[in-house]
Amino acid sequence: MIKPLIYTTVLSLMIGQAAFVSAQEVEQEKLSPPPGIEESNEPVSTPQTKENEPEPKARMVQFDVPPTVIEGEDRDNVISKIEDTLNRIRTMKATFIQRGPQGNVDEGVIYIERPGKIRFEYTDDTPILLVGNDDMLSFIDYEVNQISRWPIDKTPLSVLVDDNIDLQDKDIQIPEMIRFAGLIKASVIQPDQKDYGYITLIFEESTMELKSWEVVDVQGYTTRVALLNPEYNITVDQAHFTYDDPRPRRRGPRR
């Protein structure tokens, strides 16, 4: 696995900033910002797999049924259902499948405890870790022994870990809400954080269960995360929201 591709994916997932996306490393698909949804008339081709190569665990699916915009009273009802669904989840553990802007697919386990705690733990040999605890989100690189940190409320992931999730707050915009193929898709934008991108939440309409999300950076590059086998409101070991500091010990306080 090529390290720059993993870093681009994880950092895009964290903060959605195009500064971490290098077009010179790999040609990327550029997506349009919300609220539009592009439709393609191109036929869908089936990926060819090599002999003895395992089938992918997750595939992107295109639907023939056109999406519809949710408006008026229906929109208000759906927003209330989304808020209720998210606020009832105090803790969560799930397997995630992550597809980066370059098409690379990675897998791991995610832990959430509201407020403010989240962990992305990769199950392959990727020597990185993403941990949010209270007000900071930390990206730990065990290969080069470095840590990068951001205020979690300045990232698109903050909507998943707020103590009280209020999508009707004056500081939050949902420019358009889409219904398609039994799913609800809502982009959540915080205007004062527009330099950090935004997150789009995708729910199964019949149960209002959170199925996946997309984090889009300011240039339109998208990282997609699908959730598998989620467990809700379970006891989560607090050790999941800590990490071993790989940096050499030194005198004085850490920054």
Side-chain angles (χ1 to χ4, degrees):
M1 186 174 298
I2 302 175
K3 183 176 177 180
L5 300 184
I6 296 297
Y7 279 25
T8 297
T9 297
V10 175
L11 291 168
S12 176
L13 175 65
M14 287 174 59
I15 58 176
Q17 293 192 63
F20 296 101
V21 180
S22 173
Q24 296 178 349
E25 292 176 354
V26 60
E27 182 179 359
Q28 302 175 358
E29 175 188 5
K30 190 168 184 178
L31 304 179
S32 299
I37 294 182
E38 296 183 359
E39 296 184 7
S40 173
N41 294 321
E42 296 295 326
V44 180
S45 59
T46 302
Q48 299 296 320
T49 57
K50 298 179 181 179
E51 186 177 357
N52 298 326
E53 182 177 331
E55 288 293 320
K57 294 186 179 181
R59 295 185 179 183
M60 308 310 295
V61 179
Q62 292 185 344
F63 299 99
D64 295 330
V65 179
T68 59
V69 178
I70 303 173
E71 300 177 306
E73 184 178 350
D74 188 17
R75 172 188 167 95
D76 293 339
N77 290 335
V78 171
I79 290 177
S80 295
K81 289 179 180 179
I82 291 175
E83 289 176 339
D84 182 62
T85 293
L86 295 179
N87 280 313
R88 284 189 285 108
I89 302 173
R90 300 308 300 184
T91 65
M92 185 186 76
K93 175 186 176 182
T95 298
F96 69 87
I97 304 294
Q98 175 181 292
R99 180 168 180 171
Q102 306 88 356
N104 52 301
V105 177
D106 300 287
E107 182 178 346
V109 178
I110 181 174
Y111 300 87
I112 291 177
E113 181 175 305
R114 299 176 37 235
K117 297 178 180 179
I118 191 168
R119 178 186 180 100
F120 287 85
E121 182 177 289
Y122 292 83
T123 54
D124 56 19
D125 295 328
T126 306
I128 59 177
L129 186 63
L130 180 61
V131 177
N133 196 332
D134 296 327
D135 60 347
M136 297 300 295
L137 192 63
S138 300
F139 173 67
I140 305 99
D141 179 351
Y142 287 106
E143 185 168 348
V144 297
N145 298 329
Q146 291 181 352
I147 297 177
S148 302
R149 306 181 76 201
W150 294 266
I152 197 168
D153 63 357
K154 296 296 184 182
T155 76
L157 293 176
S158 63
V159 71
L160 298 175
V161 295
D162 284 345
D163 189 20
N164 179 51
I165 298 171
D166 181 4
L167 300 182
Q168 302 179 68
D169 186 278
K170 62 180 178 63
D171 295 325
I172 289 179
Q173 295 178 358
I174 302 178
E176 192 168 79
M177 187 173 295
I178 302 296
R179 174 182 285 116
F180 69 105
L183 301 174
I184 298 291
K185 185 173 183 178
S187 296
V188 180
I189 300 174
Q190 302 179 64
D192 61 340
Q193 301 172 16
K194 61 182 180 180
D195 291 339
Y196 296 87
Y198 67 92
I199 190 169
T200 297
L201 305 175
I202 301 173
F203 299 83
E204 182 177 334
E205 184 170 15
S206 62
T207 62
M208 291 309 297
E209 182 178 20
L210 179 63
K211 305 299 290 185
S212 61
W213 63 76
E214 302 171 351
V215 171
V216 182
D217 68 25
V218 293
Q219 289 190 349
Y221 299 114
T222 301
T223 297
R224 298 175 173 90
V225 174
L227 301 178
L228 303 175
N229 304 318
E231 301 175 68
Y232 301 113
N233 299 325
I234 61 173
T235 300
V236 178
D237 190 337
Q238 295 304 295
H240 289 306
F241 306 115
T242 63
Y243 56 86
D244 294 328
D245 192 330
R247 297 172 295 182
R249 293 184 178 274
R250 65 180 183 182
R251 296 181 179 177
R254 290 283 191 190
R255 294 195 178 190

